[in-house]
Amino acid sequence: MAIIKRQYRTKKQQKPITYYQAEVFIKGVRVAVKNFSVRRSAILWHEEQRYKLTSSPSSLNDQMSFKDCMDRFWKDAETRMMKSTLQSYETRLSYFYKSPLAEVKMSEFKGMKVMEWIDWLKSHKTSKNKGRKSFLAELGLLRTVLYWYRNFINEDFNVPITKKHRQMCLFKPNAPRRPDYFIEPEDAKAWLEWLKNHRSNSVYWRLACFMLLTGVRVGEACGLKWSAVNLEKGFVRIIRRVRWDQRTKHPFLEEVTKTSQSARLVMLAEKLKDILREMKQSALNDLVFTDNKGELLKYNAVQSAFNAGFTALKLPWRSTHICRHTFATIALMETKNLSAVQACLGHTEVRMTQKYAKTVALLSSETGEKTASAIFK
């Protein structure tokens, strides 16, 4: 919508006169313009003209139902998206096909329809689940589908999702993540010792060491091969990952990374090189981290081992991803080099690195000292 508030003043007038200029654009070209003294009149005229000018089958007057749109989106997604992404989307399809949105015409898809759908979600049986805090993931998928529709079917479509809808999806209070979301060095050392002494398979403490000292994702670590490890020059190539099927939990090795930026070289600390040299002497195959049979590690086994150590030491963490946060935070504290940490983590944007490493880590003692001297000088 292009409604522009304008003002003009004549030579004899002290107070400017306000009017509203309504402009109608079709595919980037202005096709109609008119001035009004009242904003509401400008909006009504704008919508009327836009409807008249976009009444072709491929425009806003499209009679395709949202269910048909979902079918076409899914058919296209199966050819382009990773299997892990498809499985994540697949678990949410019932929130669309069995919802009030299914039979809505795309020409009538407005913000009010999204609000009605969110109200339906809040009354859904899964909303009573203890772990269910919001329906933001479902709203995110809806946004993806609508942008796909605009990009590939109807470029005049206006995606009606706003901040209001995101706020509506948050229906249960969710405790904010603690600011010190990383393992303290002394706790990390105690946790590694526990894994080493209380797990018969030493792969778990070695895997934890590798993740803590490199910041790689658990899938990237479990997918590492000896052919990608260069102990002489002290680096590993992150070029593949393990994907765990969400239904069967079975691991699959994929020759891809999460993003193109995730394919990277990671330098190894001397401590880690010593651990890897010892592991290589007893390697069963080309995989670096395996179970006792030389097969790919299952995620639930890794998570169970890590969490057992956290519980035994009364630490508040319950995730394998805490290792990545720990590496990012401590590395930034020690080096103050945000770009280097970003490269190690394989992040495309620096703001994601700041989210992992916490902005507080950028603060130095010099900052506090200078502030104190300014106040108490």
Side-chain angles (χ1 to χ4, degrees):
M1 179 182 294
I3 307 296
I4 306 172
K5 183 179 179 180
R6 297 187 182 276
Q7 293 180 335
Y8 72 92
R9 181 189 288 116
T10 63
K11 292 183 179 179
K12 296 182 179 180
Q13 290 176 319
Q14 297 295 327
K15 188 176 181 180
I17 297 176
T18 301
Y19 68 97
Y20 298 89
Q21 186 178 73
E23 299 177 331
V24 180
F25 289 85
I26 301 297
K27 298 181 180 179
V29 179
R30 191 174 73 172
V31 295
V33 59
K34 190 174 182 180
N35 298 333
F36 297 87
S37 58
V38 181
R39 179 178 173 81
R40 180 171 178 80
S41 299
I43 294 174
L44 292 175
W45 178 86
H46 179 278
E47 292 300 316
E48 180 182 358
Q49 294 300 313
R50 186 172 176 82
Y51 180 80
K52 290 179 180 178
L53 294 167
T54 58
S55 57
S56 63
S58 61
S59 66
L60 290 175
N61 198 34
D62 198 338
Q63 295 303 302
M64 177 189 293
S65 68
F66 178 74
K67 181 180 178 180
D68 294 334
C69 178
M70 279 293 299
D71 289 338
R72 294 184 63 174
F73 163 78
W74 191 253
K75 185 177 181 180
D76 180 57
E78 287 180 324
T79 62
R80 294 186 298 108
M81 294 184 178
M82 292 185 177
K83 291 183 179 180
S84 56
T85 304
L86 288 173
Q87 283 194 336
S88 176
Y89 284 172
E90 194 174 11
T91 60
R92 302 186 178 99
L93 291 182
S94 62
Y95 294 107
F96 298 95
Y97 282 111
K98 298 179 181 179
S99 75
L101 289 180
E103 302 304 325
V104 174
K105 301 295 183 184
M106 295 306 295
S107 59
E108 302 171 358
F109 207 104
K110 305 294 181 184
M112 185 60 68
K113 298 295 183 182
V114 180
M115 292 175 63
E116 293 173 359
W117 174 67
I118 295 174
D119 289 334
W120 176 82
L121 288 177
K122 290 180 178 179
S123 63
H124 197 275
K125 60 181 181 180
T126 58
S127 65
K128 298 186 174 99
N129 293 348
K130 186 177 180 181
R132 170 70 77 174
K133 302 292 183 181
S134 73
F135 285 101
L136 286 175
E138 287 70 22
L139 184 68
L141 177 54
L142 175 63
R143 183 175 180 272
T144 300
V145 174
L146 294 181
Y147 271 105
W148 174 88
Y149 173 76
R150 190 182 75 174
N151 291 333
F152 295 98
I153 297 181
N154 182 5
E155 60 189 20
D156 294 323
F157 180 74
N158 180 37
V159 178
I161 296 176
T162 63
K163 183 178 180 179
K164 173 178 63 178
H165 299 124
R166 291 190 290 273
Q167 291 176 341
M168 288 179 63
C169 284
L170 297 166
F171 63 95
K172 284 183 184 178
N174 194 9
R177 174 175 287 176
R178 51 189 296 171
D180 58 332
Y181 191 72
F182 70 99
I183 311 173
E184 294 285 352
E186 57 272 18
D187 290 336
K189 186 177 180 180
W191 177 59
L192 293 174
E193 287 294 327
W194 190 94
L195 287 174
K196 186 176 183 179
N197 298 326
H198 292 79
R199 279 294 178 266
S200 58
N201 191 346
S202 60
V203 69
Y204 296 115
W205 82 265
R206 288 169 171 169
L207 177 64
C209 284
F210 186 81
M211 293 172 63
L212 280 174
L213 297 179
T214 60
V216 301
R217 301 175 180 90
V218 63
E220 294 170 342
C222 292
L224 186 66
K225 289 186 176 182
W226 287 113
S227 57
V229 178
N230 190 326
L231 292 176
E232 293 182 2
K233 296 183 178 180
F235 67 83
V236 295
R237 290 182 294 122
I238 304 299
I239 54 176
R240 59 179 62 86
R241 68 173 185 174
V242 169
R243 176 181 66 85
W244 291 278
D245 189 281
Q246 294 188 11
R247 292 186 295 270
T248 65
K249 310 302 179 184
H250 188 75
F252 297 92
L253 192 62
E254 295 182 331
E255 297 297 321
V256 294
T257 53
K258 184 177 181 181
T259 64
S260 59
Q261 192 76 9
S262 297
R264 60 200 187 277
L265 295 179
V266 177
M267 303 305 295
L268 300 173
E270 288 297 328
K271 174 69 174 177
L272 196 52
K273 285 191 282 187
D274 293 339
I275 293 175
L276 291 174
R277 287 192 188 100
E278 183 182 348
M279 291 177 63
K280 194 170 184 179
Q281 294 176 358
S282 57
L284 298 176
N285 48 44
D286 196 32
L287 291 171
V288 176
F289 300 102
T290 66
D291 59 15
N292 292 326
K293 298 180 181 179
E295 298 178 351
L296 292 170
L297 289 171
K298 292 184 178 179
Y299 179 75
N300 52 0
V302 175
Q303 188 179 45
S304 176
F306 282 19
N307 288 349
F310 292 140
T311 303
L313 298 174
K314 298 182 179 179
L315 297 175
W317 320 116
R318 296 293 181 272
S319 168
T320 59
H321 212 57
I322 190 66
C323 297
R324 190 164 165 84
H325 284 267
T326 301
F327 169 83
T329 305
I330 296 178
L332 190 55
M333 281 182 175
E334 296 298 321
T335 66
K336 304 295 189 298
N337 191 335
L338 187 60
S339 60
V341 177
Q342 179 186 358
C344 289
L345 297 178
H347 285 156
T348 305
E349 298 182 1
V350 69
R351 63 180 180 180
M352 179 59 71
T353 308
Q354 291 174 331
K355 181 179 178 181
Y356 270 74
K358 317 299 174 300
T359 307
V360 70
L362 290 171
L363 300 177
S364 65
S365 59
E366 185 181 3
T367 306
E369 291 296 336
K370 287 184 175 181
T371 306
S373 62
I375 296 174
F376 296 106
K377 63 180 179 180

